[in-house]
């Protein structure tokens, strides 16, 4: 079974600064997908970024980028130029190719302050 | 990516009663998923809803407690039956594809009193 570990229960950052959220996972699969989801207080789960394991290039979406280290089974999320609206719970998730079900980490609560 | 409408957004229910949650997707999808998120916790998969067949339940979840319907490729319901206070959670549905990622409904906050 796959496991996803987020070792930082809470993180704080000031507006305009950069923050990195950590995620590690354990799997014996070679082909899989990784995701970061954001859940603000409204509780809507929002897909932030996704990464295919077979792609060496790290995914980027505007201010969000990942550092995907397949050998180390690490998938960290970097948020640049943090904004107050980035305050949310962030979940890292794993999906085995062809299975469609997501395994989530416990989440990291990110607080962006002025 | 799919847009999902979920309702109700919240409800307060008496113990022993049942609540049915609905999810409507704006496009046809093969599979839909139902998750539970207990207060301050991560998401746990309840079941996968397949059109035309019975839902596939994860360990710890049973059909009698969480019956699921999937009458077509854009709609699914989850019923929480014979509720107790321990069922108080946020329930979310999800759909999508590996390539585009999975989107979620806005969630149903259930409180059982």
């Amino acid at each position: 079974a796959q496991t996803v570990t987020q070792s930082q229960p809470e993180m704080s950052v000031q507006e305009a600064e950069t923050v990195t959220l950590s995620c590690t996972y354990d799997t014996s699969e070679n082909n899989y997908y990784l995701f970061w989801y954001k859940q603000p207080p409204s509780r809507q789960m929002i897909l932030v970024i996704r990464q295919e394991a077979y792609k060496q290039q790290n995914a980027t979406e505007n201010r969000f980028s990942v550092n995907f280290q397949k050998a180390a089974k690490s998938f960290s999320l970097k948020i640049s130029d943090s904004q107050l609206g980035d305050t949310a719970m962030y979940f890292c998730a794993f999906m085995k190719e062809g299975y469609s079900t997501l395994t989530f980490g416990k989440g990291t609560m990110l607080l962006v302050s002025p | 990516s799919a847009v999902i409408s979920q309702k109700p957004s919240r409800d307060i229910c008496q113990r022993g009663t049942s609540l049915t949650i609905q999810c409507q997707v704006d496009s046809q999808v093969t599979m839909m998923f139902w998750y539970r998120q207990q207060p301050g916790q991560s998401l746990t998969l309840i079941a996968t809803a397949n059109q035309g067949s019975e839902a596939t339940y994860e360990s710890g979840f049973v059909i009698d407690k969480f019956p699921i319907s999937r009458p077509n490729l854009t709609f699914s319901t989850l019923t929480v039956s014979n509720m107790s206070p321990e069922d108080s959670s946020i329930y979310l549905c999800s759909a999508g594809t590996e390539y585009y990622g999975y989107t979620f409904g806005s969630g149903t906050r259930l409180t059982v009193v």
Side-chain angles (χ1 to χ4, degrees):
Chain A
Q2 285 66 231
T3 59
V4 178
T5 302
Q6 294 179 252
S7 58
Q8 306 151 314
E10 296 179 357
M11 294 279 284
S12 295
V13 65
Q14 290 201 308
E15 214 173 356
E17 293 186 345
T18 296
V19 63
T20 298
L21 309 184
S22 300
C23 173
T24 58
Y25 57 93
D26 186 25
T27 184
S28 58
E29 302 293 327
N30 191 50
N31 297 322
Y32 50 87
Y33 300 84
L34 295 161
F35 305 86
W36 278 98
Y37 281 89
K38 165 186 175 180
Q39 187 179 41
S42 67
R43 76 172 178 265
Q44 175 75 56
M45 289 285 286
I46 302 165
L47 177 61
V48 175
I49 201 165
R50 61 185 289 279
Q51 174 82 42
E52 296 100 324
Y54 60 84
K55 286 189 176 179
Q56 293 186 341
Q57 186 174 5
N58 290 324
T60 62
E61 287 287 342
N62 301 313
R63 298 183 295 108
F64 299 88
S65 61
V66 298
N67 182 4
F68 173 48
Q69 301 288 330
K70 190 173 184 179
K73 297 180 182 175
S74 171
F75 183 61
S76 60
L77 175 70
K78 185 172 81 171
I79 306 174
S80 304
D81 186 24
S82 296
Q83 301 175 358
L84 296 178
D86 294 333
T87 292
M89 181 72 85
Y90 286 80
F91 292 99
C92 178
F94 172 99
M95 186 180 70
K96 196 164 58 171
E97 186 180 50
Y99 273 77
S100 305
T101 57
L102 292 163
T103 300
F104 287 89
K106 292 186 181 298
T108 296
M109 181 64 211
L110 176 66
L111 176 62
V112 181
S113 55
Chain B
S1 51
V3 175
I4 302 175
S5 300
Q6 181 174 344
K7 59 181 182 181
S9 61
R10 61 177 62 226
D11 208 339
I12 301 173
C13 300
Q14 296 290 324
R15 67 179 66 199
T17 63
S18 298
L19 174 72
T20 295
I21 304 167
Q22 300 180 2
C23 272
Q24 179 76 50
V25 188
D26 69 343
S27 58
Q28 293 186 340
V29 291
T30 303
M31 287 186 284
M32 293 179 69
F33 307 90
W34 289 96
Y35 290 85
R36 181 173 73 182
Q37 186 179 26
Q38 295 183 304
Q41 302 295 315
S42 187
L43 283 74
T44 300
L45 180 65
I46 297 171
T48 301
N50 309 300
Q51 196 270 333
S53 63
E54 278 198 0
T56 303
Y57 290 83
E58 298 299 303
S59 176
F61 298 96
V62 295
I63 187 171
D64 290 346
K65 176 67 175 177
F66 299 100
I68 288 171
S69 78
R70 183 81 199 276
N72 57 54
L73 290 174
T74 64
F75 187 79
S76 180
T77 68
L78 169 75
T79 299
V80 186
S81 303
N82 188 24
M83 288 184 286
S84 66
E86 291 70 35
D87 295 320
S88 296
S89 284
I90 297 170
Y91 293 85
L92 301 106
C93 62
S94 175
T97 67
E98 289 178 357
Y99 185 79
Y100 291 108
Y102 289 81
T103 55
F104 285 79
S106 54
T108 297
R109 182 181 294 275
L110 170 63
T111 302
V112 184
V113 297

